[in-house]
Amino acid sequence: MDLTTILTQLIAGAVGGNAAGLLNKAKSLGPLLNTVLGIIGGVGGGQLLGGPVAGMLGGNATAGNATAAAVIGAILPLVVGMFKKPAASIRFAAAILADPKQANAGVRKASLDTI
């Protein structure tokens, strides 16, 4: 594991994470978090899958590392982004359970505002 390999994985992971954020704007975590998660996924994916992917690409280790890092770097922000909306729904459900009258008043006011 040399410096060139790690730099390749860092850059490819960051690019993959930001590309995933651009492709799925509804679940994007923002440029900073997409980059950080892409880097984490890139280094992990490059280390775990760089060799097998390099074998599929004809033995080119740099291309294998970069490809694996970019793919896993893109997948990690997408997976974390899937949990972005359910967390807000869970908080809303907890608020309804805590005070149903307050939640109903908020829903009624919101529906009157849209008329």
Side-chain angles (χ1 to χ4, degrees):
M1 186 163 64
D2 60 344
L3 185 60
T4 306
T5 302
I6 292 184
L7 285 175
T8 302
Q9 292 169 351
L10 289 171
I11 293 169
V15 169
N18 283 304
L22 290 174
L23 291 175
N24 192 5
K25 290 182 189 237
K27 301 281 184 176
S28 178
L29 302 169
L32 181 63
L33 197 53
N34 284 338
T35 301
V36 170
L37 288 172
I39 287 172
I40 292 169
V43 172
Q47 293 298 315
L48 293 174
L49 300 175
V53 173
M56 288 188 283
L57 295 175
N60 188 342
T62 303
N65 273 319
T67 303
V71 169
I72 302 300
I75 290 174
L76 188 60
L78 291 175
V79 170
V80 173
M82 285 193 300
F83 295 106
K84 179 179 161 186
K85 291 291 182 183
S89 300
I90 290 170
R91 282 193 298 266
F92 182 69
I96 290 174
L97 291 175
D99 189 7
K101 291 181 182 179
Q102 184 68 20
N104 288 338
V107 171
R108 222 172 311 143
K109 182 181 182 313
S111 63
L112 291 174
D113 289 343
T114 58
I115 296 176

